[in-house]
Amino acid sequence: MSRAFWRDDRFVQLAAQLFVLAIVAGLAFVLVQNMAASLQRQGIALGFGFLDNAAGFDIGESLIRYTNTDTFARALLVGLLNTLLVSVLGIILATVLGVIVGIARLSGNWLVNRLAWLFIELMRNVPLLVLLIFIYTAFFLKLPRARQAIRLGPIYLSNRGVAMPWGEPTETWPIYLYIIIAAVGSAVLVATGLRLWQERSGRPKPIALPALGTFATMAAVGWLVLPQPPLTITTPQIAAFNFRGGLVLTPEFMALLIGLVIYTAAFIGEVVRAGIQSVPKGQVEAARALGLNGRRTLQLVVFPQALRVIIPPLTSQYLNLTKNSSLAVAIGYPDLFAVSGTIINQTGRAVEMIAVVMGVYLSVSLLTSLLMNWYNRRVRLVER
């Protein structure tokens, strides 16, 4: 005797899912309908045609050419590039500092261990917004003027930011870019070839060092063979109220970068500590029995196994850092969110701009997750 279909567990589960989906869709429909009615009452029609209009405002920092006669779309691009710059640099520096803090947290040296613990607890228990404003107002805005800048070798610290020597592109720079691309391609080929050889022979072989050597050799040879160096080093010179030449990093950018790095490094340090402690002690003892010292044990035995635990939560920290960069608006750094706020004030297109900002952050986060998941699959242990 067959059961009635409403007693079938599969039917009940499917019906429950459809019921929840219908509720969510209904709520979304009500919200969208309410928004459309509100915009209609105000005489505002949704659309993105305004992005082609002239922006009419300046942006203090830009990685590309921009003037106030450019379009809103280009202003958004400037904000996006500023967000990507601080996010990429923040991820790299936070990872380096976080690994150091995580290892220091496990150090047998009492002072090093306690200092790492104090850093982690301090950063984890202070709101990031408060930390950013503190760094900006209590440090960078309190620095002397450019004429009385603090000099640390070739680097100047002032309330105008951090000025340092920098390379200015010459006529041969475009050619050198092609050489760099060829060097990267060659390094990838060397690494791929060595990895295939390692998989077929079953014998471990250094991969990163030969690949980096190939890249460095081609880059150095390309620099030397060109008739003119692709870059000329310029040093910052004090001129009137600011610096001329070199690279000047503004106080807003430095405060945001430092705040994101030290805040995220505290969480990464705990992730690294947990990953290292997840490796069985027997693995370490076996490595020591084979004669490996502490550094080689960490490099060859502990870290490769700890990565499978470290990578997933590390991905979350990278995503948090990217999203936390939107707090830049509090200290005046023109990131994507800050620029979109200015556009909203000028056009009243809040719905479209917030949708664009959400879409951009979602795309960047998904791309970061995709790359980290790919790397996680590469380093995970394969059961035989």
Side-chain angles (χ1 to χ4, degrees):
M1 179 178 180
S2 62
R3 291 187 304 174
F5 69 90
W6 61 83
R7 296 180 183 274
D8 191 326
D9 291 342
R10 293 173 297 180
F11 172 78
V12 172
Q13 292 175 2
L14 179 62
Q17 294 175 24
L18 291 175
F19 179 70
V20 173
L21 183 62
I23 292 177
V24 173
L27 288 174
F29 176 76
V30 171
L31 291 175
V32 171
Q33 192 178 38
N34 180 64
M35 180 190 69
S38 177
L39 291 174
Q40 190 175 15
R41 285 194 299 271
Q42 299 175 34
I44 300 175
L46 289 177
F48 294 92
F50 70 94
L51 291 175
D52 295 328
N53 298 337
F57 61 88
D58 294 316
I59 299 179
E61 299 180 51
S62 175
L63 295 177
I64 59 175
R65 186 194 62 79
Y66 173 82
T67 64
N68 56 18
T69 58
D70 287 320
T71 62
F72 286 119
R74 192 169 182 83
L76 270 180
L77 178 61
V78 171
L80 172 61
L81 293 177
N82 286 342
T83 294
L84 293 178
L85 174 65
V86 77
S87 298
V88 172
L89 288 178
I91 286 173
I92 294 172
L93 297 177
T95 303
V96 174
L97 181 59
V99 171
I100 294 173
V101 171
I103 295 173
R105 186 71 180 83
L106 297 171
S107 173
N109 186 301
W110 183 86
L111 180 60
V112 173
N113 187 301
R114 291 294 92 185
L115 286 176
W117 172 82
L118 180 63
F119 172 79
I120 291 172
E121 293 303 320
L122 183 63
M123 291 300 113
R124 289 200 311 178
N125 291 288
V126 174
L128 178 57
L129 179 60
V130 176
L131 180 65
L132 291 177
I133 294 177
F134 175 79
I135 296 173
Y136 181 62
T137 58
F139 181 71
F140 282 102
L141 292 189
K142 301 302 181 186
L143 288 173
R145 297 179 179 177
R147 288 184 178 278
Q148 293 83 36
I150 301 172
R151 186 170 184 178
L152 303 173
I155 301 175
Y156 295 86
L157 299 179
S158 72
N159 60 5
R160 291 289 184 177
V162 179
M164 63 183 70
W166 194 249
E168 293 288 339
T170 63
E171 294 179 355
T172 58
W173 175 247
I175 302 175
Y176 190 67
L177 283 180
Y178 288 110
I179 297 176
I180 291 296
I181 293 173
V184 171
S186 300
V188 171
L189 287 177
V190 169
T192 304
L194 288 174
R195 183 177 295 278
L196 290 175
W197 182 86
Q198 180 176 294
E199 290 175 356
R200 290 178 181 176
S201 65
R203 298 169 57 187
K205 196 78 175 175
I207 295 177
L209 194 60
L212 288 175
T214 302
F215 172 79
T217 303
M218 291 188 65
V221 171
W223 185 288
L224 294 174
V225 299
L226 289 175
Q228 181 184 13
L231 293 173
T232 58
I233 304 300
T234 63
T235 56
Q237 303 293 330
I238 299 174
F241 301 104
N242 208 338
F243 293 93
R244 179 181 299 165
L247 176 66
V248 180
L249 302 174
T250 64
E252 293 78 15
F253 173 80
M254 290 301 300
L256 178 63
L257 181 63
I258 292 174
L260 290 175
V261 167
I262 61 177
Y263 181 81
T264 310
F267 292 89
I268 293 179
E270 284 295 87
V271 170
V272 172
R273 180 184 65 83
I276 292 175
Q277 288 184 323
S278 70
V279 178
K281 291 184 178 179
Q283 297 283 329
V284 179
E285 293 171 354
R288 295 291 174 83
L290 291 173
L292 297 179
N293 57 27
R295 184 180 64 83
R296 297 291 286 175
T297 300
L298 196 64
Q299 176 186 356
L300 299 177
V301 178
V302 176
F303 256 121
Q305 298 184 73
L307 279 177
R308 61 194 171 101
V309 177
I310 291 174
I311 295 300
L314 188 64
T315 303
S316 298
Q317 296 306 321
Y318 288 170
L319 299 181
N320 286 338
L321 187 147
T322 303
K323 291 182 289 187
N324 286 338
S325 67
S326 61
L327 293 175
V329 69
I331 55 175
Y333 179 70
D335 75 322
L336 177 66
F337 186 65
V339 173
S340 66
T342 305
I343 295 176
I344 291 174
N345 290 335
Q346 293 208 358
T347 63
R349 300 283 186 170
V351 175
E352 293 91 334
M353 289 311 306
I354 294 300
V356 169
V357 172
M358 289 175 62
V360 170
Y361 277 112
L362 179 64
S363 302
V364 172
S365 296
L366 290 177
L367 179 60
T368 305
S369 297
L370 186 66
L371 293 175
M372 293 301 292
N373 289 335
W374 170 81
Y375 183 68
N376 190 36
R377 286 194 296 272
R378 297 279 299 177
V379 301
R380 70 181 176 183
L381 293 179
V382 179
E383 300 291 342
R384 295 178 184 274

